[in-house]
Amino acid sequence: MDAFIFFLILFFSSTFMGAAAEPNCPVNQCSHGGPKIQFPFQVKGDATKSNHPSGFEVVCKLGDNNKNMTTIHFPSYGDLVVRSISYGDKRLNLLDPKNCVHGVFLNLNLSLTPFRYFYGVKNYTYLNCSSRLPSNSYPEVPCLSGAGHHVYTVETSLGLPDSCRRVKSVAIPFQYSPYISDNSFGLGLSWDNLPGSEDRRLKDKTENSDVAPDKVLSISIFLFAMVVITVIVIKISHSKKMCFEDEEKHLMEVEKLLET
């Protein structure tokens, strides 16, 4: 009984203390279950935020399923959907609403943004060809190809076929592969530490770690009540144990008298 009460108090105390001391960090979301938006990101037009770095503004837009989605605009390409944000890894995972990852790779100029590719990159050349190349050696990029033109990504050192012209050579995470159909694969971006971001995180941690006076009082009352309940339960348990021992002793004495 005593061990059970002890663990019960320990459980409730840790739960209550943890909930009370949890930082009340300012977080926005475009939709339930959507990525959490906090420093350095902010929702565009949020007047309550100030001194946020440029390039980290997101926009809440209504998607095809009538659900708000989180988007971020890139000047060289357009809007991409924010799939998730990992603040610990400084990783921004994106989806292309046009379902053409290589269209993003071809046109995205990250030098105009505070981001870089999360994965390692390698130089590849985009080719635009008037006739199809052998598919076993040159996988075609369907979302960039059309009637009369066929687009491929090849090693930069590869010779130029007669029916092709070079479109652009860019450093991207991977060349096109028909086995990769996910329109988010490779669209992971990262950002570097921002000036003052460490001071900001330290300030937020300090401010949010302070427990409000009313919470301190509530915690104190709760712990005091648990201690009182524990003492009462232990005393009752001890009293019942003593009564049981006295009754057992009395019965033994009666049995001895009967035997004589």
Side-chain angles (χ1 to χ4, degrees):
M1 174 65 76
D2 295 349
F4 172 76
I5 295 297
F6 172 77
F7 284 113
L8 187 65
I9 292 172
L10 184 63
F11 171 77
F12 281 108
S13 299
S14 60
T15 302
F16 190 83
M17 290 286 288
E22 184 179 354
N24 186 22
C25 298
V27 175
N28 288 328
Q29 283 179 290
C30 288
S31 62
H32 178 71
K36 294 180 179 180
I37 303 164
Q38 60 193 59
F39 186 85
F41 294 88
Q42 68 169 335
V43 178
K44 187 175 182 179
D46 188 351
T48 62
K49 308 295 182 183
S50 60
N51 299 324
H52 266 67
S54 61
F56 288 90
E57 284 189 332
V58 300
V59 178
C60 299
K61 287 188 175 181
L62 192 63
D64 296 335
N65 56 357
N66 291 325
K67 181 180 178 181
N68 270 345
M69 58 183 182
T70 310
T71 65
I72 185 169
H73 182 77
F74 291 91
S76 59
Y77 182 77
D79 293 339
L80 293 175
V81 177
V82 179
R83 188 176 190 177
S84 63
I85 304 174
S86 175
Y87 293 93
D89 296 334
K90 295 185 178 63
R91 180 174 176 179
L92 177 68
N93 294 308
L94 303 170
L95 287 168
D96 179 30
K98 299 176 184 176
N99 297 322
C100 189
V101 170
H102 277 273
V104 181
F105 290 157
L106 180 60
N107 296 286
L108 191 63
N109 185 357
L110 292 180
S111 67
L112 302 175
T113 76
F115 303 104
R116 53 184 168 77
Y117 283 115
F118 184 83
Y119 302 98
V121 295
K122 183 179 179 181
N123 286 326
Y124 290 99
T125 298
Y126 283 82
L127 300 181
N128 189 349
C129 306
S130 57
S131 60
R132 279 196 172 92
L133 301 178
S135 58
N136 57 336
S137 302
Y138 301 92
E140 185 176 348
V141 185
C143 64
L144 295 178
S145 302
H149 72 280
H150 311 276
V151 177
Y152 305 89
T153 54
V154 298
E155 298 275 354
T156 303
S157 58
L158 192 69
L160 184 66
D162 294 337
S163 63
C164 303
R165 64 178 178 85
R166 285 188 175 88
V167 178
K168 195 178 187 180
S169 292
V170 291
I172 58 178
F174 65 93
Q175 68 183 117
Y176 176 76
S177 170
Y179 304 105
I180 302 173
S181 58
D182 184 3
N183 66 331
S184 69
F185 191 80
L187 287 180
L189 304 182
S190 185
W191 66 92
D192 296 321
N193 285 330
L194 302 170
S197 60
E198 293 297 330
D199 296 337
R200 171 63 179 267
R201 280 195 292 270
L202 181 60
K203 181 175 181 292
D204 289 344
K205 184 177 180 181
T206 303
E207 290 178 350
N208 291 319
S209 64
D210 294 336
V211 182
D214 57 338
K215 289 185 178 180
V216 174
L217 179 61
S218 299
I219 294 170
S220 300
I221 293 174
F222 172 79
L223 293 177
F224 177 75
M226 292 304 297
V227 170
V228 171
I229 292 172
T230 304
V231 172
I232 293 174
V233 171
I234 292 174
K235 283 189 175 182
I236 292 174
S237 176
H238 181 71
S239 178
K240 286 183 178 180
K241 183 179 179 182
M242 292 297 294
C243 289
F244 178 77
E245 290 178 352
D246 290 342
E247 184 177 353
E248 188 179 31
K249 183 177 180 182
H250 178 70
L251 287 174
M252 290 177 64
E253 290 176 352
V254 170
E255 288 178 357
K256 285 181 179 180
L257 290 173
L258 290 175
E259 288 176 355
T260 57

